[in-house]
């Protein structure tokens, strides 16, 4: 048996093995329970807490925005347009991508201003840092408190310029209310598990210090 045949057989074996593997999903089992989310993904609390300490945007606000934007799907993208008189999919509605559904241009601005040249939108760590950065700028530019989830989300969805012009679509306002209610729910839930989460974060920090 020659080398080409052996490589071909190994390739087929690898593909068959992959076919039987379960697909990875970043979506939590219970996305409406923030304590359950963080019990599954402690590092998510670590990163969102770090973003809060850096930018001032509470953990429950960050999580509610991600819940509203992508449902915690790290590869989420908008749907595609369809051509006239044709059901075939065309280009996507926007360039939004990742946990925080950030547009190409906004992500480029974030990386330039923060110096995070290798940040990626399907990273939870980078997404929470982005949300902290964006909501902090909304506070500076539009004077919106970082605890005001409703108006922060309107500015997040519409952009700073769109928010200044005024949000007229009731559907967008209704959705911002849903995000605000989710944040309130998350905040209440965190009161029951924050102490336990903080202990886990301390352990992560200690482990990281030992590695360095």
């Amino acid at each position: 048996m020659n080398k080409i045949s052996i490589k071909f057989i190994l390739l087929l074996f690898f593909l068959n093995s992959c076919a039987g593997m379960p697909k990875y999903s970043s979506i939590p089992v219970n996305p409406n329970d923030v304590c359950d989310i963080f019990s599954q993904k402690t590092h998510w609390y670590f990163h969102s807490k770090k973003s809060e300490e850096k930018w001032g945007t509470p953990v429950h606000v960050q999580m509610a925005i991600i819940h509203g934007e992508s449902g915690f799907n790290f590869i989420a993208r908008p749907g595609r347009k369809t051509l006239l008189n044709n059901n075939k999919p065309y280009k996507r509605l926007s360039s939004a991508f990742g946990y925080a559904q950030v547009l190409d241009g906004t992500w480029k601005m974030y990386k330039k201003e923060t110096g995070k040249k290798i940040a990626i939108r399907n990273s939870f760590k980078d997404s929470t840092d982005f949300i902290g950065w964006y909501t902090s700028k909304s506070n500076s530019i539009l004077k919106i408190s970082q605890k005001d989830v409703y108006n922060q989300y309107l500015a997040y969805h519409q952009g700073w310029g769109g928010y200044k012009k005024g949000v007229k679509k009731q559907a967008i306002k209704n959705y911002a209310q849903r995000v605000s209610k989710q944040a309130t729910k998350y905040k209440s839930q965190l009161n029951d598990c924050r102490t336990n989460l903080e202990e886990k974060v301390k352990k992560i920090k200690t482990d990281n210090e030992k590695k360095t």
Side-chain angles (χ1 to χ4, degrees):
M1 188 180 290
N2 58 41
K3 290 183 179 180
I4 295 176
S5 299
I6 293 172
K7 288 181 179 179
F8 181 70
I9 291 171
L10 289 173
L11 177 61
L12 287 176
F13 177 78
F14 175 75
L15 292 173
N16 286 331
S17 298
C18 290
M21 292 174 64
K23 292 182 178 180
Y24 171 75
S25 174
S26 60
I27 302 172
V29 175
N30 186 2
N32 292 314
D33 187 333
V34 77
C35 290
D36 193 48
I37 293 172
F38 288 143
S39 69
Q40 297 172 52
K41 303 173 185 288
T42 306
H43 61 290
W44 279 16
Y45 181 75
F46 176 78
H47 294 313
S48 54
K49 181 66 178 177
K50 196 171 181 180
S51 176
E52 178 181 357
E53 292 171 352
K54 180 178 179 181
W55 301 106
T57 304
V59 170
H60 65 274
V61 177
Q62 299 173 46
M63 293 297 283
I65 289 175
I66 293 176
H67 182 284
E69 286 293 288
S70 68
F72 301 102
N73 182 358
F74 77 120
I75 55 172
R77 290 184 183 274
R80 293 181 182 274
K81 296 179 181 179
T82 54
L83 295 170
L84 291 174
N85 302 319
N86 194 329
N87 290 325
K88 290 183 179 180
Y90 185 43
K91 63 180 181 180
R92 295 190 183 276
L93 297 171
S94 78
S95 61
F97 177 66
Y99 286 107
Q101 290 294 279
V102 191
L103 298 172
D104 290 350
T106 312
W107 191 253
K108 186 176 180 180
M109 183 194 306
Y110 160 72
K111 292 202 295 182
K112 183 178 180 180
E113 288 196 10
T114 60
K116 293 181 174 290
K117 296 179 180 179
I118 60 172
I120 53 175
R121 287 174 284 182
N122 56 1
S123 160
F124 188 85
K125 176 184 177 181
D126 293 335
S127 296
T128 54
D129 191 72
F130 170 83
I131 290 172
W133 170 82
Y134 193 95
T135 50
S136 176
K137 287 185 74 72
S138 293
N139 175 252
S140 299
I141 298 169
L142 304 171
K143 308 304 178 186
I144 303 173
S145 167
Q146 284 158 270
K147 296 180 180 179
D148 181 352
V149 188
Y150 175 75
N151 283 295
Q152 276 286 356
Y153 185 75
L154 286 178
Y156 190 93
H157 188 277
Q158 298 299 102
W160 300 309
Y163 182 88
K164 285 180 179 179
K165 292 177 183 177
V167 182
K168 297 178 181 179
K169 290 186 178 181
Q170 191 59 43
I172 296 173
K173 292 180 180 180
N174 291 344
Y175 198 76
Q177 287 287 6
R178 285 175 58 186
V179 173
S180 181
K181 287 179 181 178
Q182 188 66 51
T184 300
K185 186 176 182 179
Y186 280 164
K187 183 180 180 180
S188 177
Q189 291 168 346
L190 276 171
N191 290 332
D192 296 327
C193 62
R194 192 183 297 275
T195 301
N196 184 46
L197 290 169
E198 289 295 337
E199 288 298 320
K200 290 182 178 180
V201 166
K202 284 181 182 179
K203 187 177 184 305
I204 292 173
K205 287 181 178 179
T206 301
D207 291 343
N208 288 342
E209 287 173 0
K210 287 180 180 178
K211 291 177 182 178
T212 55

